[in-house]
Amino acid sequence: RTEIMTDYIPISTLNDFIFCPYSIYLHNVYMETDEGLYHATPQTKGKLAHEPVDTKTSSNRSDDVLALPVYSEQLGLMGKIDVYKRREKKLIERKYQLKQIYQGQLYQLWAQFYCMTEMGYEIESIAFYEISTNKMIPVAIPSDSDKQKLQNFISSFKSFEPLLPIPLNPNKCRHCIYCNLCDKTEEENVY
């Protein structure tokens, strides 16, 4: 059975969907434009911090796998991991700064974990790496209950009805990079 990869949900959109489903639409509308129109300092720092992984220059250790494309047929997800340390069997998601770990960020890491294990990789630990502080933040391997939460979330993602009103959260709107371009809010961007 052959499936078209465009039917797969990009792992990177899981956190965006929790933040605001409409931000995914705005991202797609503005993605071909100058990022300077909407990228704020946190996104610019994050993109610069990710560059060494994307260009595979963040590590020269032969047992480190960088920017590996991954997918899960079972979950209908695809994306890229940041770092997999083969010797340690450790999956790492790099972030420039983590003041706290949000559910969407956990879903991203869990999704990467499930993609890799479905692809045959053995993973004994997962973690976030905070670049700004050079700190590794271990995260528990997802449980069966966690996998069910992720599957339920993916189902809500797939069944999202964009024509229904989107509940707005003024605090989230103020921190959204698309705030000043959004037709759903009158909030001003904090950046």
Side-chain angles (χ1 to χ4, degrees):
R1 183 182 98 165
T2 305
E3 289 192 39
I4 300 172
M5 289 299 273
T6 55
D7 292 336
Y8 283 54
I9 297 170
I11 293 171
S12 61
T13 63
L14 298 178
N15 190 41
D16 296 338
F17 187 78
I18 286 178
F19 183 78
C20 175
Y22 196 61
S23 73
I24 296 169
Y25 166 76
L26 292 171
H27 174 77
N28 285 302
V29 167
Y30 292 107
M31 69 191 235
E32 297 298 325
T33 63
D34 178 8
E35 290 176 349
L37 291 174
Y38 58 88
H39 264 202
T41 302
Q43 287 74 34
T44 302
K45 284 182 178 179
K47 187 172 182 173
L48 289 172
H50 239 269
E51 201 170 282
V53 168
D54 294 336
T55 59
K56 300 185 180 186
T57 58
S58 66
S59 173
N60 59 5
R61 292 180 53 175
S62 63
D63 65 319
D64 285 356
V65 178
L66 306 174
L68 177 72
V70 296
Y71 74 97
S72 167
E73 190 171 320
Q74 181 187 33
L75 296 175
L77 298 172
M78 65 175 207
K80 271 188 190 176
I81 60 128
D82 286 347
V83 180
Y84 173 65
K85 294 191 167 289
R86 270 188 264 222
R87 191 175 306 139
E88 299 171 48
K89 298 176 183 162
K90 183 176 203 162
L91 173 64
I92 301 167
E93 171 69 12
R94 293 165 47 104
K95 299 288 185 191
Y96 179 74
Q97 187 173 40
L98 280 171
K99 293 180 182 173
Q100 77 179 71
I101 297 172
Y102 293 99
Q103 191 64 44
Q105 292 166 323
L106 269 179
Y107 284 164
Q108 286 179 291
L109 187 55
W110 293 353
Q112 292 169 11
F113 168 81
Y114 288 118
C115 288
M116 290 195 71
T117 55
E118 187 176 318
M119 292 171 60
Y121 287 87
E122 189 177 339
I123 300 173
E124 294 179 357
S125 65
I126 61 177
F128 288 102
Y129 172 69
E130 187 176 41
I131 297 164
S132 63
T133 62
N134 191 30
K135 187 166 95 177
M136 194 70 68
I137 304 163
V139 174
I141 296 284
S143 65
D144 290 340
S145 170
D146 292 333
K147 185 174 187 179
Q148 187 60 55
K149 284 181 203 169
L150 178 61
Q151 288 173 315
N152 292 343
F153 175 70
I154 292 167
S155 292
S156 69
F157 186 107
K158 288 179 177 178
S159 65
F160 176 71
E161 179 51 63
L163 298 178
L164 294 176
I166 297 168
L168 297 179
N169 177 329
N171 188 46
K172 284 185 176 182
C173 290
R174 281 190 292 275
H175 289 87
C176 178
I177 62 173
Y178 303 108
C179 180
N180 296 334
L181 305 170
C182 182
D183 60 333
K184 305 286 184 203
T185 183
E186 298 296 318
E187 294 295 324
E188 284 295 318
N189 191 304
V190 298
Y191 303 111

